[in-house]
Amino acid sequence: MARPMPVERKIALCYIRLSVTKDASDLTSPERQRANIDAACRKYGWIPEWYEDAKGHKSATKEENRPAWQALKTRLGDPDVAALVVNEQSRAMRNAWRAIKLFEELPGQGVVLHLAALDRTIDITTPDGRMSAYIQAFLDDLYALDASRRSKDSVKYRKGKGISIGTPPFGTVRDDQGYLTASPSGAWLLPDGAFRPGKDQHQPPHPDATWRGYYACAEQILTLYKDNQHGYGWVADELNKAGWAFRDRWNQPRPINGDDVRRVTSNWREYAGLVMHGRAKEQIANEIENPSGVLYDTGRAVFSLELLYAVAKTQEERSVTTRPTKSVSPAHIFSLSFLTFCARCDQLARAEDNPKFRTRITGHNKKGQLRYRHSDSHKCDCQTKSVPVNTIEEDFARLIHTLEVHPDAIELMAELAVQTRFGGAQDNDDLQEQKKVAIAKHKRAIKNNFTLFQNGEIDSDEYYRQKDYHERQIAYWESQTTDKQKIALELTTCVEMINRLKTFWEITDGEDRRLLAHSLFDEIVYDLDKRQIVDFTMKSWAEPFLVLRAALYFDALSEEMKNRFNSGLMASSNGLFHDPNGIPALA
């Protein structure tokens, strides 16, 4: 049987994202992204396959609100895909933990990440590429968090002044102070049945055109709905027959549908000048005791209070349910589910050399009691079958804190790594001497070249060509670092990442915590009876750091380093390096 021909990797998955789309002018950003990405594909011979999330709110801190991104991810493992191309790294992801997870998956799928705006391909398999991608991921995450804080503070301030937030309800606009007022815009109904947007009812585009103002349309919707005689669909049909139109996000008129009627009638609080807490789509009538009773004269109502009261009463009557309010609790995200294994089962699996005996500890929410529970798929001799969620997650937080390293330890860790990899500092001394000789040689060459130019023995073109060559050589040698310096840079980056992970664990929850744990650890082994973490495996990018950190303990050090260690140089406030005669447990 003939072997199948390998598929040539030529496809580039090209992703475009715009955070918030407010009007048609925002589309210039997707156009710019598309132009940069298309140029990169032509340069590297890739065939572009386009995915675009550019309408509405498409935050890169999440994935569920980006259908095109989710569709793209299903293609990453296909054999014809060569690259994932975005204009810049933040277009793909602004959540550090999701970004790190993506970076780790791409090399195994044979896919590279290319940044079109910088014309740069990120190779996560190299220390420099990994360092650059991870640092940028954390910067993007911090930018998103800072923007979120500022936005929430602005919303709180405006709502405190009685100003609603977001797109004004249909038929209204905001005045100079931010309060709602009747919209002057509308649509002209042309003789052929088509609509044309307009802002002045006294300037028809056609002598026989009929004006249909958006404010009057909203009033008609509320009037037909208030008597509680018909549903949303019937109201929409009646208005369409009368030639009314609804305004879409792009300020273009279109026929009215049932959802449009629901939007207008559900905004009776905003039309009355009331500012409710939370998002508008979460203001459910039956979750507010006596909804119509919240109405009062704010002095800012854009429709009559009698009409709005009748709409509120109708909505109240229609919002009857047999289910108690808030009886369905939201799903809880357990940060350590599918990452944690039972310690007793792990011991048995090792003894029997059978990984099937390993059993996961997963989250359970029974009657509001959040616990991590031993799986029923396998029985072991542990007496405790579950622990409260805070017990294991607080132990995990202590583990992250234990991994913290004092900055003064970086130099000693780098020195130890050099000795382990290269057998001492001889190679580093040779490199330093070679670097010094090379730089001195090229500086002499520049000086001699200038003398030849002054004496007229070479022309200006040759002088500048030689000068440029030697300056480039000097820059090359000056950029050469010793093995110790390179390792110290890698370790510094790793330490900084772990410190950030510790900080983010304290300020986040839910899905972000779960991604954090899964981005740093491959697995955690937990003893339910002792209620403590007894073993763990970190991701491959953090494993060298952990090995070097453990090697700092007394038994692994040379005599010279033992003397430095005993001198107190490496003592740190967290107690990790205080005791040279014993290794404190990491868990």
Side-chain angles (χ1 to χ4, degrees):
M1 182 177 179
R3 302 179 68 179
M5 295 292 293
V7 179
E8 186 177 7
R9 291 184 179 270
K10 297 286 288 183
I11 300 297
L13 305 181
C14 306
Y15 182 67
I16 296 172
R17 181 184 67 84
L18 184 64
S19 300
V20 179
T21 309
K22 296 181 179 179
D23 51 52
S25 65
D26 287 337
L27 292 181
T28 56
S29 178
E31 290 174 0
R32 174 174 53 82
Q33 294 180 49
R34 183 179 290 270
N36 292 341
I37 293 173
D38 187 58
C41 290
R42 290 197 305 270
K43 178 178 180 180
Y44 295 99
W46 293 325
I47 301 173
E49 184 173 301
W50 297 97
Y51 298 84
E52 182 170 332
D53 287 316
K55 290 186 178 182
H57 185 57
K58 304 297 181 183
S59 171
T61 59
K62 302 179 179 64
E63 291 186 335
E64 59 269 16
N65 65 333
R66 296 189 287 157
W69 174 256
Q70 296 181 50
L72 180 150
K73 289 183 66 177
T74 63
R75 286 275 283 129
L76 285 174
D78 293 343
D80 59 337
V81 176
L84 167 60
V85 187
V86 292
N87 193 56
E88 57 191 58
Q89 187 170 311
S90 63
R91 294 303 89 192
M93 203 71 68
R94 279 197 184 276
N95 182 294
W97 321 122
R98 288 190 175 94
I100 291 174
K101 187 174 184 294
L102 174 67
F103 297 153
E104 291 184 342
E105 292 174 349
L106 290 180
Q109 296 164 333
V111 179
V112 298
L113 175 63
H114 187 79
L115 309 182
L118 302 176
D119 191 20
R120 177 185 177 191
T121 300
I122 295 180
D123 184 3
I124 201 64
T125 61
T126 66
D128 291 343
R130 181 173 64 247
M131 187 190 318
S132 174
Y134 286 2
I135 290 177
Q136 186 61 50
F138 280 113
L139 291 176
D140 291 337
D141 198 324
L142 288 172
Y143 174 86
L145 287 173
D146 183 60
S148 175
R149 292 190 190 101
R150 286 187 279 110
S151 177
K152 290 177 180 178
D153 183 63
S154 174
V155 169
K156 181 180 179 181
Y157 173 76
R158 296 185 66 189
K159 285 191 172 183
K161 297 181 63 177
I163 301 175
S164 61
I165 305 300
T167 304
F170 177 68
T172 65
V173 293
R174 288 196 173 90
D175 60 20
D176 294 339
Q177 294 181 321
Y179 298 108
L180 297 181
T181 186
S183 172
S185 301
W188 290 100
L189 177 61
L190 302 179
D192 61 358
F195 290 108
R196 182 174 297 180
K199 292 186 177 180
D200 188 348
Q201 58 179 316
H202 302 296
Q203 295 182 356
H206 189 279
D208 298 326
T210 304
W211 175 252
R212 290 288 184 259
Y214 292 143
Y215 175 79
C217 179
E219 189 173 35
Q220 286 292 317
I221 291 174
L222 295 172
T223 301
L224 292 176
Y225 176 83
K226 71 179 178 62
D227 294 328
N228 198 14
Q229 299 296 315
H230 304 283
Y232 296 146
W234 182 90
V235 173
D237 290 340
E238 289 299 306
L239 290 170
N240 286 327
K241 291 176 185 178
W244 294 96
F246 200 81
R247 173 189 56 79
D248 64 12
R249 181 179 289 271
W250 313 106
N251 294 319
Q252 297 298 313
R254 60 167 175 79
I256 303 171
N257 58 44
D259 280 339
D260 299 331
V261 175
R262 175 188 54 78
R263 293 186 184 99
V264 172
T265 57
S266 296
N267 278 325
W268 56 266
R269 302 174 186 84
E270 285 72 19
Y271 289 135
L274 300 174
V275 177
M276 307 298 292
H277 296 290
R279 296 186 294 180
K281 67 180 182 180
E282 296 175 349
Q283 301 301 330
I284 303 173
N286 66 356
E287 292 193 358
I288 303 176
E289 185 178 355
N290 187 21
S292 57
V294 303
L295 273 177
Y296 67 94
D297 188 3
T298 62
R300 299 188 297 271
V302 293
F303 296 105
S304 70
L305 286 178
E306 292 77 9
L307 174 59
L308 297 175
Y309 180 81
V311 170
K313 290 296 292 184
T314 298
Q315 191 179 74
E316 182 180 351
E317 293 171 3
R318 291 188 176 187
S319 301
V320 177
T321 177
T322 57
R323 177 180 62 81
T325 300
K326 297 184 179 179
S327 61
V328 178
S329 59
H332 181 81
I333 299 176
F334 292 86
S335 307
L336 304 180
S337 276
F338 303 103
L339 182 67
T340 313
F341 293 83
C342 171
R344 300 299 179 87
C345 294
D346 185 69
Q347 293 175 357
L348 180 61
R350 294 175 185 274
E352 299 292 335
D353 195 22
N354 186 352
K356 292 184 178 180
F357 288 142
R358 302 192 77 206
T359 308
R360 296 184 186 273
I361 298 174
T362 56
H364 287 262
N365 184 0
K366 187 175 181 181
K367 297 181 180 180
Q369 297 180 357
L370 303 177
R371 303 180 72 86
Y372 282 98
R373 186 171 180 273
H374 191 288
S375 174
D376 294 331
S377 62
H378 177 71
K379 305 294 183 181
C380 69
D381 60 353
C382 65
Q383 301 300 312
T384 305
K385 298 300 180 183
S386 68
V387 294
V389 63
N390 291 337
T391 300
I392 187 170
E393 292 188 1
E394 288 173 1
D395 199 27
F396 180 78
R398 287 192 293 271
L399 171 59
I400 297 178
H401 181 78
T402 304
L403 293 175
E404 184 181 8
V405 172
H406 193 274
D408 293 342
I410 299 299
E411 182 180 355
L412 185 56
M413 292 173 71
E415 185 176 342
L416 181 61
V418 169
Q419 289 192 359
T420 303
R421 295 185 191 180
F422 308 108
Q426 185 63 40
D427 292 344
N428 291 315
D429 293 340
D430 292 343
L431 177 60
Q432 288 286 63
E433 183 63 27
Q434 186 181 4
K435 173 180 175 180
K436 180 179 179 181
V437 171
I439 291 176
K441 182 183 73 173
H442 288 288
K443 285 184 176 180
R444 285 197 306 271
I446 291 177
K447 183 177 180 180
N448 294 337
N449 190 47
F450 179 68
T451 301
L452 292 174
F453 175 62
Q454 280 185 320
N455 294 335
E457 298 185 22
I458 59 175
D459 58 19
S460 60
D461 290 341
E462 177 65 15
Y463 166 72
Y464 285 111
R465 188 184 68 82
Q466 291 287 344
K467 182 174 181 290
D468 179 70
Y469 168 75
H470 292 296
E471 286 178 344
R472 288 178 180 272
Q473 290 298 312
I474 291 173
Y476 166 77
W477 281 104
E478 286 180 341
S479 66
Q480 297 301 303
T481 59
T482 63
D483 297 314
K484 181 178 177 180
Q485 290 173 320
K486 290 180 180 178
I487 294 171
L489 183 60
E490 293 180 28
L491 290 174
T492 301
T493 303
C494 193
V495 169
E496 180 63 21
M497 290 181 63
I498 289 179
N499 290 341
R500 288 187 180 275
L501 291 174
K502 178 173 69 70
T503 301
F504 275 96
W505 179 267
E506 295 171 354
I507 65 175
T508 59
D509 55 16
E511 179 68 11
D512 288 337
R513 271 196 171 189
R514 189 186 70 83
L515 287 170
L516 186 157
H518 284 255
S519 68
L520 182 59
F521 292 87
D522 277 329
E523 62 181 48
I524 295 169
V525 181
Y526 191 81
D527 192 317
L528 290 167
D529 290 335
K530 295 181 180 179
R531 295 197 174 191
Q532 68 179 26
I533 296 173
V534 297
D535 196 6
F536 60 89
T537 303
M538 299 182 73
K539 292 291 186 182
S540 57
W541 62 265
E543 194 67 32
F545 158 80
L546 184 64
V547 172
L548 288 171
R549 181 195 171 282
L552 275 175
Y553 292 112
F554 192 74
D555 291 342
L557 301 180
S558 64
E559 290 298 324
E560 178 184 354
M561 290 190 206
K562 286 181 181 180
N563 294 332
R564 293 179 60 190
F565 189 89
N566 287 330
S567 68
L569 175 65
M570 302 312 302
S572 70
S573 59
N574 59 19
L576 291 181
F577 309 110
H578 280 173
D579 184 7
N581 297 316
I583 301 178
L586 292 180

